[in-house]
Amino acid sequence: MPGFVLLMRPRDDGDATMRIGFTVTKKIGNAVVRNRMKRRLRALARELLAERGVAGADHVLIGRNGGIERDYASLRTELGKALRKVTPQVTDTASAQATTPAKAGAQVGKRL
């Protein structure tokens, strides 16, 4: 089970600014534990979202129970993998024509 869930949704409002939100529920632990998890999620976002996030989209990181015990490197790897899943990957015109809008839209907002 991953240490967090990444939700991403394009805003489609013409603004290219990326927005990020963090949430950690009381199920994870007391305030000290929840704040520690949020600090780790903020550090991950600062490191990876600037270069791999989707412009003009809202990103939400939801902390999970296993995230506190995991080391930072494995959380970074998980976030990189999650961002690759939700980021539209169009490298050439042939693959752009092969991708239908329904398939591309299926990745958006998908829980990882």
Side-chain angles (χ1 to χ4, degrees), residues 88-105 107:
Q89 300 289 326
V90 178
T91 55
D92 59 19
T93 57
S95 66
Q97 292 171 352
T99 304
T100 64
K103 289 181 183 175
Q107 294 178 350

Side-chain angles (χ1 to χ4, degrees), residues 7-101:
L7 299 176
M8 188 276 299
R9 184 173 184 181
R11 288 191 313 272
D12 297 329
D13 61 358
D15 185 13
T17 305
M18 278 188 281
R19 297 190 307 188
I20 181 79
F22 306 98
T23 183
V24 181
T25 66
K26 287 185 178 182
K27 291 180 188 178
I28 304 301
N30 63 12
V32 174
V33 173
R34 293 192 313 266
N35 288 334
R36 181 172 179 233
M37 186 67 200
K38 283 192 252 183
R39 281 194 303 270
R40 292 177 71 143
L41 293 175
R42 272 190 229 107
L44 285 168
R46 212 175 290 122
E47 186 176 338
L48 293 176
L49 270 177
E51 57 195 38
R52 296 186 192 173
V54 178
D58 293 335
H59 301 77
V60 179
L61 287 168
I62 304 170
R64 292 292 182 221
N65 215 1
I68 291 294
E69 292 84 23
R70 281 204 172 81
D71 62 341
Y72 186 79
S74 65
L75 287 174
R76 184 175 53 223
T77 303
E78 289 174 4
L79 181 58
K81 183 196 273 187
L83 285 170
R84 280 191 297 276
K85 285 185 178 182
V86 299
T87 305
Q89 300 289 326
V90 178
T91 55
D92 59 19
T93 57
S95 66
Q97 292 171 352
T99 304
T100 64

